Amino acid sequence: AYILRKPTALSIICRRRQWIIGGFILLLAGAAVLDAALARDIGFHTSFWGNSLLAVLYTFAILLAVLYAGSSCTAFLRLDLLRRLGKISYGVYLVHGIALMSIFSIVGRPVGLKSLWDAGLIGIALMLTIVLCTISYHRLEAPFLRLAKLSMYS
Protein backbone atom coordinates (compact mmCIF):
# COMPACT_ATOMS: atom_id res chain seq x y z
CA ALA A 1 0.00 0.00 0.00
CA TYR A 2 2.86 2.36 0.82
CA ILE A 3 4.48 1.77 -2.56
CA LEU A 4 1.25 2.47 -4.42
CA ARG A 5 0.66 5.72 -2.53
CA LYS A 6 4.19 7.09 -2.85
CA PRO A 7 5.19 7.83 -6.46
CA THR A 8 8.88 8.03 -5.55
CA ALA A 9 8.83 4.57 -3.96
CA LEU A 10 6.99 3.14 -6.96
CA SER A 11 9.51 4.66 -9.38
CA ILE A 12 12.40 3.15 -7.40
CA ILE A 13 10.71 -0.26 -7.55
CA CYS A 14 10.13 0.12 -11.31
CA ARG A 15 13.78 1.04 -11.91
CA ARG A 16 14.87 -2.06 -9.97
CA ARG A 17 12.53 -4.41 -11.85
CA GLN A 18 15.32 -6.76 -13.02
CA TRP A 19 16.76 -7.01 -9.50
CA ILE A 20 13.34 -7.89 -8.13
CA ILE A 21 12.77 -10.57 -10.77
CA GLY A 22 16.23 -12.02 -10.15
CA GLY A 23 15.76 -11.93 -6.39
CA PHE A 24 12.41 -13.67 -6.68
CA ILE A 25 13.90 -16.44 -8.84
CA LEU A 26 16.82 -16.84 -6.42
CA LEU A 27 14.51 -17.00 -3.40
CA LEU A 28 12.22 -19.46 -5.15
CA ALA A 29 15.22 -21.69 -5.89
CA GLY A 30 16.34 -21.33 -2.26
CA ALA A 31 12.92 -22.38 -1.02
CA ALA A 32 12.98 -25.43 -3.31
CA VAL A 33 16.47 -26.42 -2.11
CA LEU A 34 15.44 -25.94 1.53
CA ASP A 35 12.33 -28.04 0.96
CA ALA A 36 14.35 -30.83 -0.67
CA ALA A 37 16.94 -30.73 2.12
CA LEU A 38 14.28 -30.91 4.83
CA ALA A 39 12.62 -33.88 3.14
CA ARG A 40 15.77 -35.85 3.99
CA ASP A 41 15.65 -34.85 7.69
CA ILE A 42 19.05 -33.15 7.96
CA GLY A 43 18.31 -31.90 11.45
CA PHE A 44 17.76 -28.30 10.33
CA HIS A 45 14.89 -26.48 11.99
CA THR A 46 13.03 -24.00 9.79
CA SER A 47 11.45 -21.89 12.52
CA PHE A 48 13.78 -18.95 11.80
CA TRP A 49 15.51 -19.34 8.44
CA GLY A 50 12.73 -21.17 6.63
CA ASN A 51 10.01 -18.78 7.74
CA SER A 52 12.22 -15.76 7.09
CA LEU A 53 13.01 -17.02 3.59
CA LEU A 54 9.32 -17.48 2.88
CA ALA A 55 8.48 -14.00 4.22
CA VAL A 56 11.04 -12.40 1.90
CA LEU A 57 9.83 -14.60 -0.99
CA TYR A 58 6.24 -13.43 -0.42
CA THR A 59 7.44 -9.81 -0.27
CA PHE A 60 9.10 -10.20 -3.66
CA ALA A 61 5.94 -11.86 -5.02
CA ILE A 62 3.88 -8.86 -3.88
CA LEU A 63 6.38 -6.47 -5.45
CA LEU A 64 6.10 -8.37 -8.73
CA ALA A 65 2.30 -8.17 -8.54
CA VAL A 66 2.57 -4.39 -8.07
CA LEU A 67 5.06 -4.08 -10.93
CA TYR A 68 2.90 -6.05 -13.32
CA ALA A 69 -0.52 -4.81 -12.16
CA GLY A 70 -2.92 -4.72 -15.07
CA SER A 71 -0.93 -7.12 -17.23
CA SER A 72 -2.23 -10.45 -18.45
CA CYS A 73 0.35 -12.19 -16.18
CA THR A 74 -1.51 -10.99 -13.10
CA ALA A 75 -5.06 -11.32 -14.44
CA PHE A 76 -5.79 -14.24 -12.10
CA LEU A 77 -5.19 -11.91 -9.13
CA ARG A 78 -8.23 -9.89 -10.21
CA LEU A 79 -10.62 -12.86 -10.06
CA ASP A 80 -13.76 -12.23 -8.05
CA LEU A 81 -13.09 -15.33 -5.92
CA LEU A 82 -9.69 -13.96 -4.84
CA ARG A 83 -11.19 -10.55 -4.08
CA ARG A 84 -13.78 -12.18 -1.85
CA LEU A 85 -11.12 -14.28 -0.10
CA GLY A 86 -9.09 -11.11 0.39
CA LYS A 87 -11.99 -9.50 2.22
CA ILE A 88 -12.29 -12.38 4.69
CA SER A 89 -8.55 -13.10 4.95
CA TYR A 90 -8.06 -11.55 8.39
CA GLY A 91 -11.01 -13.55 9.71
CA VAL A 92 -9.52 -16.71 8.18
CA TYR A 93 -6.25 -15.93 9.95
CA LEU A 94 -8.08 -15.62 13.28
CA VAL A 95 -10.49 -18.54 12.93
CA HIS A 96 -8.65 -21.27 11.02
CA GLY A 97 -6.80 -22.69 14.03
CA ILE A 98 -9.94 -22.87 16.13
CA ALA A 99 -11.88 -24.58 13.32
CA LEU A 100 -9.06 -27.05 12.68
CA MET A 101 -8.68 -27.99 16.35
CA SER A 102 -12.45 -28.23 16.82
CA ILE A 103 -12.99 -30.58 13.87
CA PHE A 104 -10.10 -32.85 14.88
CA SER A 105 -11.23 -32.82 18.53
CA ILE A 106 -14.78 -33.78 17.61
CA VAL A 107 -13.57 -36.92 15.88
CA GLY A 108 -10.89 -37.59 18.51
CA ARG A 109 -7.81 -37.42 16.29
CA PRO A 110 -4.60 -35.44 16.75
CA VAL A 111 -4.21 -32.52 14.35
CA GLY A 112 -1.99 -33.57 11.48
CA LEU A 113 -1.93 -34.85 7.94
CA LYS A 114 -1.13 -38.53 8.17
CA SER A 115 -3.94 -40.08 6.13
CA LEU A 116 -6.63 -39.38 3.58
CA TRP A 117 -9.09 -39.14 6.47
CA ASP A 118 -7.03 -36.28 7.93
CA ALA A 119 -7.06 -34.52 4.55
CA GLY A 120 -10.85 -34.75 4.56
CA LEU A 121 -11.01 -33.28 8.05
CA ILE A 122 -8.75 -30.43 6.98
CA GLY A 123 -11.06 -29.81 4.00
CA ILE A 124 -14.07 -29.69 6.32
CA ALA A 125 -12.24 -27.28 8.63
CA LEU A 126 -11.39 -25.08 5.64
CA MET A 127 -15.00 -24.98 4.47
CA LEU A 128 -16.18 -24.23 8.02
CA THR A 129 -13.61 -21.45 8.31
CA ILE A 130 -14.66 -19.84 5.03
CA VAL A 131 -18.36 -20.02 5.91
CA LEU A 132 -17.86 -18.57 9.40
CA CYS A 133 -15.57 -15.81 8.13
CA THR A 134 -17.93 -14.86 5.30
CA ILE A 135 -20.81 -14.53 7.76
CA SER A 136 -18.57 -12.60 10.16
CA TYR A 137 -17.43 -10.24 7.41
CA HIS A 138 -20.97 -9.41 6.25
CA ARG A 139 -22.53 -9.22 9.73
CA LEU A 140 -19.70 -7.60 11.73
CA GLU A 141 -16.78 -6.24 9.72
CA ALA A 142 -18.58 -4.60 6.80
CA PRO A 143 -21.00 -2.57 8.98
CA PHE A 144 -18.12 -1.35 11.14
CA LEU A 145 -16.07 -0.48 8.05
CA ARG A 146 -19.00 1.56 6.68
CA LEU A 147 -19.36 3.29 10.05
CA ALA A 148 -15.64 4.06 10.17
CA LYS A 149 -15.72 5.48 6.65
CA LEU A 150 -18.62 7.76 7.60
CA SER A 151 -16.86 9.05 10.70
CA MET A 152 -13.56 9.61 8.88
CA TYR A 153 -14.97 11.79 6.12
CA SER A 154 -17.71 13.72 7.89
Side-chain angles (χ1 to χ4, degrees):
Y2 176 81
I3 292 170
L4 293 175
R5 291 187 183 125
K6 299 291 182 182
T8 55
L10 186 57
S11 70
I12 291 169
I13 296 298
C14 287
R15 284 194 311 262
R16 304 278 189 248
R17 182 181 308 250
Q18 296 303 320
W19 284 91
I20 292 170
I21 293 170
F24 180 75
I25 292 169
L26 185 66
L27 287 164
L28 199 56
V33 168
L34 185 61
D35 183 55
L38 293 175
R40 288 187 288 151
D41 193 20
I42 59 173
F44 180 76
H45 194 336
T46 62
S47 65
F48 178 74
W49 292 110
N51 293 338
S52 299
L53 176 71
L54 288 177
V56 175
L57 177 68
Y58 296 150
T59 301
F60 272 71
I62 290 169
L63 288 174
L64 286 173
V66 168
L67 281 172
Y68 292 99
S71 82
S72 59
C73 297
T74 57
F76 73 95
L77 295 173
R78 293 183 293 279
L79 291 174
D80 188 52
L81 173 68
L82 291 181
R83 290 176 190 248
R84 289 174 191 236
L85 285 174
K87 287 183 178 184
I88 66 167
S89 63
Y90 186 65
V92 170
Y93 165 70
L94 294 175
V95 172
H96 80 279
I98 297 167
L100 196 60
M101 292 239 207
S102 298
I103 295 296
F104 274 84
S105 293
I106 288 170
V107 297
R109 292 182 63 89
V111 177
L113 184 56
K114 294 180 175 58
S115 68
L116 193 56
W117 174 251
D118 292 340
L121 293 175
I122 291 171
I124 292 169
L126 176 64
M127 287 187 282
L128 177 65
T129 299
I130 290 173
V131 167
L132 289 174
C133 293
T134 301
I135 293 168
S136 169
Y137 177 80
H138 289 293
R139 298 289 181 199
L140 295 171
E141 289 180 60
F144 279 111
L145 289 172
R146 284 192 296 273
L147 186 63
K149 192 177 272 192
L150 288 174
S151 66
M152 282 183 6
Y153 299 113
S154 60

